[in-house]
Amino acid sequence: MKGSAMLRLIFTPEDLARVRLAPGPDPLWESLLSAHQVHALDGARIFGAWHRRVVPDMPRAALPYLALTPPVGYSPDFLTPEGGSTDFAAGAENMLYTPPERIAAELGVLGRDRRMPGWAHDLAEGSPRALRSLRAAMAAFHAHAVEPVWSRVRRVVDADRSARTQVLAASGVEAVLSTLHPTTTWADGVLTVHSRVMRRDIHLAGRGLTLVPSYFCWRMPITLANPDLAPVLVFPVAHERHLLDEPAGGEGALAALLGRTRARALRELAGSASTTLLAQRMDISPASASEHTTVLRRAGLVASQRDGRRVVHVLTELGQGLLEGTT
């Protein structure tokens, strides 16, 4: 599906108190999202070498899993069980306990747009043997495509998580939501997400939200298709090349937190600058500079003060500390 739709996550005060940052990368989400890249390589600059290594000798045992993970559109939610996991075996085991009627319903949705393999009929009927076979296919794919790069995945995700944890501790959850990803905006209790496939309002209704930073998520955040399941938002981490080769931290971690443009804006504001001067330094419009400073101010990283007709921005103690800690 071309273009983008809008997914809106609507928070209550109870939801803000129940926002949770996943403790690490989720191997089942990384498997699902890397399978999308196997089908249709989108991030060639980042995943190209990985794709060339993984695809030519894809084991036949992994093919049933790939049949259920199309690159665009619907993938069954039961492939990424509620609650998440940082351990592949535990997550795959949880999948086995998915109610048969839910598996049948989700495979029915998948089958609307594509021809399903014959073995999917047994899976839809809740056959334990079919479920175990699917788990084996998932394990074969994970071992071939994800496990060899898992240390890199964990390093990049941990860098992102570390930076966000600093903001959470110093400025609270709304600051985290304000700087989640360049394709998201936070305002008036609503997190708006650009989505390639979803146009929907999801009322969290006190259930909270789990935020899952992901290495193989690409371009835009993604969530479960069924809004009645426990709310989760999987979002892309920054893929700076030097971040892939260095330990967690450094300038790449700052970009992972803020996005490259806002990370640069934070650096340019060291020593203070007006909106006009920031725009000149970054070669962007004053309106864009104002938008970036507004987001940084909401996150508690920048303080702004009017000086005649100018608005001057300076780093707060948190902003200065974050900048010094990543340079």
Side-chain angles (χ1 to χ4, degrees):
M1 180 177 180
K2 296 182 179 180
S4 67
M6 288 292 186
L7 173 68
R8 300 197 323 149
L9 302 172
I10 301 171
F11 288 70
T12 66
E14 290 80 9
D15 293 308
L16 286 174
R18 294 175 181 171
V19 172
R20 170 179 174 265
L21 189 61
D26 186 316
L28 270 71
W29 274 108
E30 298 296 350
S31 290
L32 175 73
L33 295 165
S34 63
H36 293 175
Q37 292 292 331
V38 165
H39 286 295
L41 181 62
D42 190 12
R45 183 178 69 87
I46 300 301
F47 305 123
W50 170 86
H51 189 271
R52 290 190 294 273
R53 184 173 65 251
V54 165
V55 171
D57 60 346
M58 181 66 64
R60 289 182 59 85
L63 298 184
Y65 177 66
L66 289 171
L68 302 183
T69 55
V72 177
Y74 180 80
S75 291
D77 288 333
F78 73 84
L79 296 177
T80 49
E82 291 180 89
S85 176
T86 57
D87 178 76
F88 176 82
E93 182 72 15
N94 287 341
M95 184 205 68
L96 296 179
Y97 296 98
T98 307
E101 59 273 14
R102 180 181 151 197
I103 293 177
E106 293 181 6
L107 290 177
V109 174
L110 182 64
R112 294 173 189 169
D113 298 322
R114 61 184 53 250
R115 184 183 181 89
M116 299 293 290
W119 52 263
H121 178 75
D122 291 338
L123 190 62
E125 291 192 339
S127 163
R129 180 177 179 179
L131 264 176
R132 289 193 298 270
S133 294
L134 176 58
R135 180 180 60 176
M138 293 170 62
F141 178 83
H142 179 81
H144 176 72
V146 180
E147 194 172 297
V149 296
W150 189 249
S151 61
R152 173 180 293 181
V153 170
R154 188 171 54 220
R155 186 166 69 246
V156 176
V157 169
D158 284 350
D160 181 279
R161 190 180 186 282
S162 176
R164 294 183 197 279
T165 299
Q166 291 183 49
V167 174
L168 178 63
S171 298
V173 67
E174 292 193 69
V176 174
L177 296 172
S178 295
T179 56
L180 190 64
H181 189 259
T183 63
T184 66
T185 56
W186 168 257
D188 301 324
V190 178
L191 184 66
T192 302
V193 182
H194 289 272
S195 170
R196 285 184 288 183
V197 296
M198 284 191 179
R199 184 183 299 275
R200 176 185 299 162
D201 285 357
I202 297 179
H203 292 266
L204 300 181
R207 295 174 295 166
L209 179 68
T210 299
L211 301 173
V212 183
S214 169
Y215 181 86
F216 280 103
C217 190
W218 188 242
R219 296 190 186 279
M220 298 175 183
I222 188 172
T223 188
L224 296 168
N226 186 346
D228 294 328
L229 298 175
V232 61
L233 189 68
V234 183
F235 61 92
V237 297
H239 290 84
E240 303 275 343
R241 285 194 182 278
H242 65 271
L243 181 60
L244 301 183
D245 301 323
E246 298 294 335
E251 184 177 342
L254 187 64
L257 171 65
L258 301 175
R260 282 175 290 181
T261 303
R262 286 178 188 148
R264 182 186 170 193
L266 191 70
R267 292 191 293 271
E268 296 289 354
L269 288 173
S272 82
S274 68
T275 303
T276 300
L277 181 56
L278 178 63
Q280 292 172 350
R281 288 176 177 176
M282 297 183 65
D283 193 25
I284 58 178
S285 70
S288 294
S290 179
E291 178 183 347
H292 292 311
T293 57
T294 296
V295 172
L296 294 172
R297 184 169 59 250
R298 289 174 177 169
L301 304 177
V302 166
S304 304
Q305 182 174 350
R306 184 165 293 279
D307 180 14
R309 300 182 66 181
R310 304 186 310 158
V311 177
V312 178
H313 313 281
V314 297
L315 298 185
T316 63
E317 184 178 349
L318 173 62
Q320 187 66 42
L322 185 61
L323 188 61
E324 291 174 355
T326 55
T327 56

